[in-house]
Amino acid sequence: MREGTCERVTRKMSFKDQAVPAIVKHFLRRKKHKETSFLDRRFRFSIWASTKAKGPVMASKFNSGDNRTRSSVSIFIVAGLCCFFYLLGAWQRSGFGKGDSIALEMTKSGENCNILPNLNFETHHGGEAGIIDDSDSKITVYKPCPPKYTDYTPCQDQRRAMTFPRENMIYRERHCPSQGEKLHCLIPAPEGYVTPFPWPKSRDYVPYANAPYKSLTVEKAIQNWIQYEGNVFRFPGGGTQFPQGADKYIDQLASVIPIDNGTVRTALDTGCGVASWGAYLWKRNVIAMSFAPRDSHEAQVQFALERGVPAVIGVLGTIKVPYPSSAFDMAHCSRCLIPWGINDGLYMKEVDRVLRPGGYWVLSGPPINWKTNYKAWQRPKEELEEEQRKIEEAAKLLCWEKKSENGEIAIWQKSMDTDSCRAAQENSGAEFCKSEDIDDKIEPCITRSNSANSNEVLLKPFPERLYAVPPRIASGSVSGVSVEAYLEDNKQWKKHVNAYRKIIKIIDSGRYRNIMDMNAGCDFEDILLEMDRILRPEGAIIFRGEVDVLVKVKKMIGVKFDLS
């Protein structure tokens, strides 16, 4: 398609009919790399030109007496503009001013401008169409942070963590810096950073330069967590409880839990290590969210993410895990060192909150099978016996039925009969939680399994579940979300994602593995610097929001960065 086609397409994009997405590429932060704008130039021009076009177009009216003279002038002006844009397009295609290889691919894939009208361009603009305040022209230049900040994680700073109490793992929770402590520079990539291997190769191999930490290769050598081979790390798939590999371990679980038929789709791995359990569940169509603290195994979550496995830095301490109730089909702890029996099963109650009725909890390692292993674990058998007794009591109170105990693996299933379970809990004098706010602290109470939760047993197996209306929405249990609204939203986002695929054609090539969908509403600079911190070099950003917001973001990310 010729360059001039974009002019025709963008003229159709009026404020009242269209919404503006912005595609941004993440530049490679290296001293020898050429400075480059975040936005692909041609794509940026077609989008932003369209947002400002309406005003002057609507103002163009001619008096009948001057038609002939003005027609000649108009022809001359149009011819001049055509020549100008032709030369501009030729210059852009010449190679000068282009960014890295990713920007080049985006430039090529953006040539088909016909995809733009397919996007949802309904306006969210709060002001008058076409009038954008551009008075603040001050440009901020962000310099790279010193190399020592390569692994900087603002809310997980180890020096700050050690100033907090160790009781209930408080010091391992998130403790964010004050406004005055925040860095206002660009976190550099590790020296020698290279493009990660595409999935599924990334499951087994990670370039050493991307996460240069060898301590786990020594500490966990006999458990087959990770091995260092030349310039890469290799992940054999082992773990503390499954040194022979995650596949065989998952086969054991699948003999009790219906993992292979689509019933189990979402899983939570507490204390995940390098997330091999979650990595090997992918091929069985199970998505595991893994979390672990930033402790002596400092790089374990970093390794998980480099492998392309969903993971976050986190811990079961005093704050609820950041997921709504009845969110997971299975929860898992493989020697995760969480004291499940303390405080009348406080942490088991939190697992119960996020487990769906009929969901499974897997506990492998101490204290399971303590009679055989207490000597190998070097722990008093009386202590282990008491620990397992407390776990069994808490499981009974939560209406979890033990389905299996084989070797060091025990599996419980949460009751599907929520009504009889609630009656039993009330008779035992159990305390029920008054709030389900996930921002609350963990309390020694049980989250009620109401009618909305009990409907979750009707969830369809995967992949039918992917597009089916969730039972909680079908029953009207989610305030403000109707079946019609859900289906319309699903339809709109399918259209948006298809459009993104056309704009960034390499999105399905395996180049992008870790993708974060976020909703943010705080300080622009904080958000953009944090996005820059977590993005890999040559990563991509898609903004979709109000026109005013996109204009402000464009001004901030369109500046040149000081790479000296």
Side-chain angles (χ1 to χ4, degrees):
M1 181 178 291
R2 294 180 294 110
E3 287 279 320
T5 312
C6 286
E7 183 183 358
R8 173 177 58 79
V9 173
T10 55
R11 254 188 269 127
K12 296 181 181 178
M13 296 160 56
S14 69
F15 262 123
K16 292 185 178 179
D17 303 328
Q18 315 284 350
V20 182
I23 309 296
V24 180
K25 55 123 340 230
H26 191 241
F27 67 97
L28 186 59
R29 299 189 298 267
R30 293 181 184 168
K31 290 186 178 181
K32 295 182 179 180
H33 194 274
K34 295 181 180 178
E35 295 178 352
T36 178
S37 168
F38 272 72
L39 290 172
D40 172 72
R41 289 178 174 80
R42 279 181 295 162
F43 182 73
R44 177 177 61 183
F45 177 82
S46 65
I47 291 294
W48 294 107
S50 71
T51 64
K52 296 185 179 181
K54 185 175 181 180
V57 170
M58 293 183 66
S60 298
K61 289 187 177 180
F62 300 124
N63 294 326
S64 58
D66 296 332
N67 281 348
R68 184 173 302 172
T69 302
R70 295 193 178 185
S71 295
S72 301
V73 173
S74 298
I75 292 172
F76 176 78
I77 292 174
V78 170
L81 287 174
C82 286
C83 291
F84 169 74
F85 286 116
Y86 176 82
L87 293 173
L88 178 63
W91 173 79
Q92 287 181 326
R93 296 176 70 87
S94 66
F96 293 101
K98 284 192 171 68
D100 55 30
S101 58
I102 300 299
L104 179 59
E105 289 294 332
M106 290 171 63
T107 297
K108 291 178 179 178
S109 62
E111 288 178 355
N112 184 2
C113 298
N114 284 329
I115 60 141
L116 294 177
N118 294 332
L119 297 176
N120 175 21
F121 269 66
E122 70 275 7
T123 180
H124 299 286
H125 184 47
E128 189 166 342
I131 301 177
I132 296 174
D133 182 11
D134 200 30
S135 58
D136 184 11
S137 59
K138 183 179 179 181
I139 295 179
T140 303
V141 177
Y142 298 96
K143 294 187 176 182
C145 303
K148 68 178 182 179
Y149 289 107
T150 293
D151 294 324
Y152 180 66
T153 309
C155 299
Q156 297 287 344
D157 183 74
Q158 295 301 290
R159 290 172 298 178
R160 186 183 302 109
M162 299 310 294
T163 66
F164 288 86
R166 299 199 172 205
E167 179 185 7
N168 295 326
M169 298 294 285
I170 293 175
Y171 76 119
R172 293 297 185 197
E173 294 179 331
R174 287 171 55 87
H175 301 290
C176 299
S178 64
Q179 191 65 32
E181 294 177 296
K182 291 180 180 178
L183 296 178
H184 297 278
C185 53
L186 303 175
I187 304 298
E191 183 69 25
Y193 188 94
V194 298
T195 300
F197 297 116
W199 183 268
K201 185 177 180 179
S202 65
R203 185 194 71 177
D204 302 324
Y205 296 96
V206 167
Y208 170 76
N210 294 8
Y213 312 103
K214 294 183 181 178
S215 60
L216 283 178
T217 64
V218 177
E219 185 177 347
K220 301 294 183 181
I222 63 173
Q223 297 169 6
N224 275 335
W225 278 32
I226 180 175
Q227 297 174 359
Y228 177 60
E229 299 178 355
N231 61 350
V232 299
F233 288 112
R234 186 171 72 87
F235 297 85
T240 305
Q241 286 299 124
F242 42 93
Q244 302 305 313
D247 259 340
K248 290 184 178 179
Y249 176 75
I250 294 172
D251 284 339
Q252 285 183 274
L253 304 184
S255 66
V256 179
I257 303 172
I259 289 178
D260 297 322
N261 66 2
T263 300
V264 173
R265 170 61 176 172
T266 56
L268 182 67
D269 192 11
T270 55
C272 64
V274 295
S276 286
W277 186 71
Y280 279 82
L281 280 172
W282 270 98
K283 65 182 181 181
R284 303 181 191 231
N285 282 327
V286 177
I287 298 177
M289 174 54 71
S290 304
F291 73 84
R294 190 167 187 176
D295 53 15
S296 57
H297 305 153
E298 184 173 355
Q300 54 189 342
V301 169
Q302 179 67 26
F303 280 131
L305 291 170
E306 287 294 327
R307 298 175 72 186
V309 182
V312 295
I313 299 174
V315 65
L316 268 179
T318 64
I319 308 297
K320 292 179 180 178
V321 293
Y323 306 105
S325 301
S326 300
F328 293 95
D329 301 309
M330 176 170 57
H332 173 257
C333 163
S334 173
R335 202 161 189 169
C336 60
L337 304 180
I338 294 174
W340 297 109
I342 67 168
N343 298 330
D344 297 321
L346 178 68
Y347 297 139
M348 292 176 67
K349 291 173 181 175
E350 176 62 359
V351 170
D352 180 75
R353 180 182 71 82
V354 299
L355 264 186
R356 294 190 175 105
Y360 296 86
W361 185 53
V362 179
L363 176 61
S364 63
I368 304 302
N369 200 19
W370 59 268
K371 293 180 181 179
T372 302
N373 294 316
Y374 74 92
K375 289 184 179 179
W377 293 336
Q378 298 181 350
R379 291 181 58 186
K381 61 181 180 180
E382 295 80 13
E383 177 183 294
L384 290 164
E385 182 180 14
E386 178 65 10
E387 185 177 338
Q388 179 151 355
R389 184 189 66 79
K390 290 180 177 179
I391 290 174
E392 301 283 2
E393 285 185 355
K396 182 178 180 180
L397 179 64
L398 295 171
C399 302
W400 293 1
E401 178 187 357
K402 181 180 277 189
K403 308 298 290 187
S404 171
E405 181 173 332
N406 185 8
E408 296 178 22
I409 302 174
I411 301 173
W412 285 265
Q413 184 179 24
K414 183 175 178 177
S415 175
M416 296 184 185
D417 189 349
T418 57
D419 292 334
S420 63
C421 178
R422 184 188 304 178
Q425 290 169 341
E426 290 174 347
N427 291 334
S428 67
E431 180 181 354
F432 292 95
C433 300
K434 297 180 176 60
S435 170
E436 292 190 26
D437 190 341
I438 62 173
D439 293 325
D440 286 345
K441 290 189 175 182
I442 297 177
E443 296 178 347
C445 55
I446 299 173
T447 302
R448 291 182 182 272
S449 296
N450 51 37
S451 57
N453 298 101
S454 62
N455 282 331
E456 289 303 304
V457 301
L458 303 176
L459 275 172
K460 294 184 180 297
F462 188 82
E464 290 86 353
R465 186 191 300 186
L466 192 59
Y467 297 109
V469 177
R472 275 190 275 195
I473 292 177
S475 65
S477 302
V478 180
S479 177
V481 183
S482 65
V483 172
E484 295 74 19
Y486 175 85
L487 292 174
E488 179 61 25
D489 186 73
N490 198 25
K491 179 181 177 182
Q492 287 296 325
W493 278 105
K494 184 177 181 180
K495 183 167 65 174
H496 295 333
V497 172
N498 286 337
Y500 298 154
R501 284 193 171 107
K502 293 178 181 178
I503 296 170
I504 313 177
K505 291 186 177 179
I506 61 172
I507 203 168
D508 289 322
S509 67
R511 173 61 181 83
Y512 298 127
R513 173 64 180 174
N514 299 347
I515 299 176
M516 175 180 285
D517 186 15
M518 61 182 287
N519 183 16
C522 49
D523 182 76
F524 278 92
E525 184 179 68
D526 285 347
I527 294 172
L528 293 174
L529 285 174
E530 182 65 1
M531 292 173 73
D532 182 83
R533 182 186 72 82
I534 64 175
L535 270 178
R536 289 170 170 164
E538 298 186 343
I541 308 172
I542 300 176
F543 290 102
R544 176 176 288 275
E546 296 179 354
V547 175
D548 308 71
V549 172
L550 296 183
V551 170
K552 189 166 184 177
V553 168
K554 170 188 172 287
K555 288 171 61 178
M556 296 183 70
I557 65 179
V559 301
K560 292 183 177 180
F561 287 75
D562 186 349
L563 300 180
S564 62

